[in-house]
Amino acid sequence: MLSILKGIWVILSHTFRRRVTVQYPDVQPIMPPRYRGRIVLTRDPSGAERCVACYLCSAVCPVECIALQAAEDEHGRRYPEFFRINFSRCIFCGFCEDACPTYAIQLTPDFEMGEYVRQNLVYEKEHLLISGPGKYPGYDFYRMAGVAIGGKDKGEAENEEPPVDVRSLMP
Amino acid sequence: MSDVVLHLLTIVGVLAAALTIAAGLIWGERRLLALWQDRYGPNRVGPFGLLQVVADIIKIFTKEDWIPPFADRAVFVLAPGIVFAAGLMVFAILPVTPGIAVVRLNVGVLYFLAISSLGAYGVVLAGWSSSSKYSLLGGMRAAAQVLTYEVFMGLSLMGVVMIAGSFDLGRIVEAQKNLWFCVPQFFGLLVFFMAGLAEAHRSPFDLPESDSELVAGYHSEYSGMKFGMFFVGEYLSITVISALIATLFFGGWLGPVLPPVVWFMLKTFVFIGGFILMRATLPRPRYDQLMALGWKLLLPLTLLNLLITGAIVLAAR
Amino acid sequence: MAVIYIDNRPYTVKDGQNLLQACLGLGFDVPYFCWHPALGSVGACRQCAVKQFKDEHDTRGKIVMSCMTPAADGVRISIDDPEVREFRASVIEWMMINHPHDCPVCDEGGECHLQDMTVMTGHVHREYNFPKRTFRNQNLGPLVNHEMNRCIHCYRCVRFYRQYAGGRDFDALAAHDHVYFGRSEDGVLENEFSGNLVEVCPTGVFTDKTLKRHYSRKWDLQTAPSICVHCGLGCNTIAGSRYGQLRRIRNRYNGEVNGYFLCDRGRYGYEFVTGDSRIEQPLARPERSAALERVARGEALQRAASFLRDRGRVIGIGSPRASLEANYALRRLVGPDRFYLGVSTEDYRMTAAALKILQAGPARSPSLKEVRMADAALVLGEDVTNTAPVLALALRQLVHPKADAAAKTFDLPSWSDAAIRELVQDEKESLFLATPAHTKLEDAACQTYHAAPDNLARLGFAVAHRIDPASPAVPDLAEEVDRLAEEIAAALVSAKRPLIVSGTGCCSEAMLQAAANVAWALCRRGNPALLSLVLPEANSIGLGLMGGGDLQSAFQALREERADTVVVLENDLYRRESAAAVDAALQLAKHVILIDHTRHAMAEKADLILPAATFAEESGTLVNSEGRAQRYYQVLLPKASVQPSWRWLGLLNEPASGTADEELFKLDGILADIAGELPQFRPILEIAPPSGFRMMGQKVPRQSPRSSGRTAIDAKENVSEPKPPEDPDSPLAFSMEGDEGLPPPALIPRFWAPGWNSDQAVNKFQAEIGGALRSGDPGKRLIEPQVGAQPDFFQTVPTVFEPHDGRLLLVPLYHIFGSEPLSALSRGIAELTSGRYVALHPADAAAQKIAEGDTVQLELDGISLELPVKIAASLPPGVAGLPSGLPGMEHVALPSWCTVTTILQTPPLAPPQNGEGVGGGVGAQS
């Protein structure tokens, strides 16, 4: 009983508290850098596309709004032939960013994505790809991976020995 | 002749005031809740967001009014009407000032009790005719809850009636010239307030609609203006109960300096605010807790209150 | 039955298993790498460790490898013991030391046994920070991709490639931690089962190179159970599609048929479905001489209806590569007496003879499982490696008599692979090959005999006579052939499960009769002989059972003006009869309607072409050469106006009959109609559940629960996603919604189980590891032998083959890549297809001073061909070989006599045509 009265009193006392609402759009809010807004595809420090089209983002997406097709250039580097996000379905959960092994897909603090035509919410690769590395400036997946690509032969990645000479019997 | 015109003017005036207040509450409740939750509430349409009411009315009138194919059509349409009408009919007996009242019934209190039970029909029928399990559950709850609290509501008023010696609301107000009944009938006030919450199925006693378990209870299947009538009907009940609390326990129009109408309105608005404060504060009890509270606490309390009041009245005679 | 105790609970398991098999069979998750149910145990990877206890009082126990320990009665083990768990986690950690960070760009990712096992053992964090070992990759040809860095050295690939499939050009090279699995130099993998490395390899060293061009993860593929259409064996496959395109074929385990492996033709021949030569629109020509132009579906149907108005003058030509349903729908459209099978007279005669032998005789046509279980085999006249490759793989697995005996003498279990191979050494199994020329199976055979088809048949008759003197004797038999016959007869008689393999490859009826005589002679002696007859196409037996005339009688009907309109179903008649004959016949027809999925020479003669569905776009039934009817299911939606042939034919039938029977436009309806009309096909109703079948009220989903992109795939065209398409023909759904339980065996759309994303999940679908699927292997046999029957032996023994003066007998040679027209359209296969050639015996070549690479002119039956020469020492003198059905080759009825004249001599050492050394035929001899 007393707790009820106390509750009523606490609520009443809020009559004189400051209001916390930010009067958007009159006042522009400052979003934290890890806010989960518009999704972008980033590039690695050398300026090449980071996405290797591993399909993990599309697999983890709970609303299945990511579709892509893998392709490979003549030197063995993988990239998405197309990469489509249907933002009219996206729930900005950030699972795709969590799943991405190459830091390619990232969520940004931009949330102002309203459109009058729903079709305009379908973003293709050219809409998603930005020219920088986003939140993770130094990372380059292919420096860690074992596959050879143009400009990086076998054994040239980080922490790799030069390729084995199969014809040698030396220990 | 002028008597008739005056009477008609009174009716129109009370009706207009009641509906305006009820509609205004659509905005008022949201603003108050926001205030207590450190927000602004509707503040974009018109000054202080007041025109939100107009926007909402336009919206509710133009929305698709869908009658589910599995519903019992006739009853489905009738139910919100009953709720709405029952809410309005009580306003007839409210003595706003010594001079302004639609009708002065010498059985005013009884009339109020009768009409407010009628409102339960609307809710039960709405739940029944929707042919949906959530609606039916809501309707059942409403029936049981309203019937239960009807008992205490009636009993809690009997103390007031005993002291005032009349069922006529005007006479009851006049009997409070020296002392508002909230003092001798404190327990009556408490019980009446709680019963009022339950009668109007306002939170925390909004179990018939409890959205977290029954979607929206008895009005799950309603849309458009029919839903609007339930919505406004609820605000009408709040207004009526608040006005009655003011009349029965806080001396109605009585008060110094200001004219009687202002006093009456002022008191009513305070209690409406009280209702909203309850919603802002209290969580919804479980259904069995609601019933237990009624039968195990409020019933003995009212009976005791009645006994003591009776004894005192007898002794004073 | 043995009782074993796992973590102190008793379980009953079958005798003769190892602990790993037993545990997996009981549903326990024991990680493993080197063990494979088909390859046996070698105990190399140390991953399947469990703790074994002496008795119930033993608390210390010892760690053993479960794959090397028999599940004998009373064995007590623990899988969950903390020490053994840690042991397994350490083994994985050690294997992962050099495994690269490749998963995102690795095609195996998502169906990787190594990933599964790593998760299963709980090794989640790498502590090794030192440099990783790297290898250079090899280019292994257009089918298999090599990424050696990923290797964990389980040796499965070499064990499969060298020991199971008999390949020689791939091995474990180098030493210690440099062991390298590959060829001595870059080059195409020669073995025709190399594609299985993709499935055998537990990680991503070997991946599907054709899939790489249009890569999709396993979880994204919309899959359905399918049947391979590229030969008569009917191997079960899983076809996978994505974005409306067929992406890959994987093996679908069927214990009775293909087991764990497919041939490369079946695995990589799928690309014709998305190839450039697909017919995707109805095409019509306004008049005979005009060019084909696209017409709308409605207009095409109208034209067809006007062509078919006089129903009495319409004949239908079916096809052994079309489904039973399509052929039946055609038969219903034109009437049984105007339905022709669409095969040449020779093929027709051979199929009929084969069917008669299998149905009237006591010898049973074996399933491939029974072939693998046989302990002696005689292959008569058939180059199985190239005409029925998986049969050749099965023949390599014949039970070695020594292995059989060893099991008793040394108490060696049959799964102890290394020990048994050590015991057998280089001794060959009892496999006898008698073929016109060299075949790739020879390295596995204990005796080989190359001769002209007639002489091969004579050998067969001689063997039969040796076994049962009641069968006709062979006059004028050469002494060494007689000795060989005696040896073969002795081996077959002493075998417990003897097997005779023959087929239509030599187009010799005598050969089939000889094979039948051998099998029947064995049966008379009480040996349950099996007789496997290889038929050329996916539905040869089905069509033979349906009955109808051959192609010549169809032409006859046109010539006699009994008909003037021809409906051709999925058939290129130019591959069946000579161009002249086909041209002449079609000239007589007023209207030619072609229903097919792929453009070929017939398109030029058709007045109307209706686009048919391929195996991937329709559901239907095929009967394999065992006589097993099997259902395949639609895996993807065809392009707008493409639909199954049987549905086109149903539509064509509609206006005439006037009564639209809705049911006949559904698979179930047409199946019921077939079973009602033709009682021999009644079992086809039972091979798979009807379309109304539901599990827990739901269909079986074609998409995995993790299938992605549903709301984005079509968003480019329209942001509102469409309703998933419905499938009225099968209990499979084109969506990921549906029951995730174990579907009936005929409906298994993919092998997946929680924690088992790779194909090894098949363990969870088998009633017994390496045995039948739960609820039985799918398919129903339509032909059964007359057990105990003693039919008369065939009496006509051919005379000794003699070369005619200056003329050579031209026999067909087969190529796994190229002889089958559909697979030859696929990119990878096309690259490996041999060029045209004629193969000559060195003596015949020398007689005319012809050298390898010269161009010669062949003259036969009014046809003349200009071909480069290959010298093939294995051919018998007087016999020349002509590759059968290679792209661009004219149809030649074989065998037939020809003359050879040199027209162009090339300087010596001219490089051979592309693809030499791969496809098979005589080109592949080493």
Side-chain angles (χ1 to χ4, degrees), chain B residues 67-79:
Chain B
I67 299 176
F70 46 79
D72 182 341
R73 264 189 94 87
V75 182
F76 189 82
V77 175
L78 192 64

Side-chain angles (χ1 to χ4, degrees), chain C residues 380-381 434 452-454 456-457 461 502-503 506 508-516:
Chain C
L380 210 52
D454 280 353
L456 296 175
F461 279 107
S502 187
C506 280
S508 158
E509 211 174 331
M511 195 87 76
L512 291 181
Q513 292 174 349

Side-chain angles (χ1 to χ4, degrees), chain C residues 807-821:
Chain C
R807 297 210 292 165
L808 299 172
L809 182 69
L810 206 53
V811 296
L813 298 174
Y814 295 90
H815 287 262
I816 181 169
F817 303 132
S819 290
E820 196 274 330

Side-chain angles (χ1 to χ4, degrees), chain A residues 65 82 99 107 124 150:
Chain A
C65 72
F82 72 83
L107 277 76
E124 297 291 333

Side-chain angles (χ1 to χ4, degrees), chain A residues 55 64 68 78 84 86 89, chain C residues 107 215 243 711 713 721:
Chain A
Y55 291 100
E64 297 168 356
L68 67 152
R78 296 265 175 123
R84 186 178 304 134
N86 180 353
R89 290 286 183 192
Chain C
D107 286 355
Y215 183 66
Y243 301 133
T711 63
I713 288 172
E721 54 266 9

Side-chain angles (χ1 to χ4, degrees), chain C residues 577-598:
Chain C
E577 289 288 353
S578 69
V582 178
D583 282 341
L586 294 182
Q587 206 61 46
L588 297 170
K590 253 199 315 201
H591 307 296
V592 178
I593 302 177
L594 174 66
I595 305 176
D596 208 341
H597 45 72
T598 307

Side-chain angles (χ1 to χ4, degrees), chain A residues 52-61 63-72 76 78 81-82 84-86 88-90 101-102 118-122 124 141-142 144-148 153-156 158-171, chain C residues 98 100-107 128-138 147-150 173-178 180 183-185 212-217 219-220 242-243 247 705-721 736:
Chain A
V52 299
C54 70
Y55 291 100
L56 285 180
C57 51
S58 75
V60 80
C61 180
V63 288
E64 297 168 356
C65 72
I66 305 178
L68 67 152
Q69 174 58 52
E72 199 175 287
R78 296 265 175 123
E81 194 176 302
F82 72 83
R84 186 178 304 134
I85 299 183
N86 180 353
S88 76
R89 290 286 183 192
C90 181
T102 66
R118 209 177 138 206
Q119 189 66 48
N120 294 348
L121 286 166
V122 179
E124 297 291 333
F141 168 77
Y142 281 109
M144 315 289 165
V147 290
D153 200 4
K154 279 286 173 75
E156 291 177 4
E158 281 176 23
N159 251 347
E160 271 189 357
E161 283 168 358
V164 163
D165 178 6
V166 184
R167 299 186 194 277
S168 156
L169 284 176
M170 297 303 284
Chain C
N98 284 307
H101 279 284
D102 268 2
C103 297
V105 291
C106 173
D107 286 355
Y128 179 83
N129 286 323
F130 304 98
K132 288 174 187 290
R133 178 187 59 208
T134 59
F135 288 104
R136 294 216 176 271
N137 303 329
Q138 287 181 329
E147 182 62 51
M148 188 55 205
N149 277 0
R150 299 171 186 157
L173 312 168
H176 53 91
D177 69 334
H178 288 174
Y180 185 90
R183 290 166 50 89
S184 56
E185 56 185 14
K212 205 178 163 79
R213 284 198 291 270
H214 39 232
Y215 183 66
S216 237
R217 296 264 178 225
W219 64 69
D220 276 342
R242 176 78 173 159
Y243 301 133
R247 291 281 164 103
R706 284 182 203 161
S707 184
S708 75
R710 182 177 57 84
T711 63
I713 288 172
D714 300 316
K716 193 174 188 182
E717 284 74 42
N718 186 357
V719 69
S720 313
E721 54 266 9
M736 64 186 95

Side-chain angles (χ1 to χ4, degrees), chain A residues 1 4 7-8 11-12 14-15 17-26, chain B residues 31 34-41 43-44 190 194 277-278 280-282:
Chain A
M1 188 64 203
I4 290 177
I8 292 173
I11 296 293
L12 257 180
H14 273 257
T15 313
R17 289 275 186 89
R18 210 172 61 83
R19 310 197 183 199
V20 294
T21 313
V22 178
Q23 292 283 62
Y24 175 84
D26 305 338
Chain B
R31 287 290 289 196
L35 177 69
W36 288 322
Q37 293 165 357
D38 300 344
R39 299 184 285 117
Y40 286 99
N43 67 344
R44 294 268 140 188
L190 217 62
M194 278 196 234
L277 183 61
M278 289 301 121
T281 311
L282 298 174

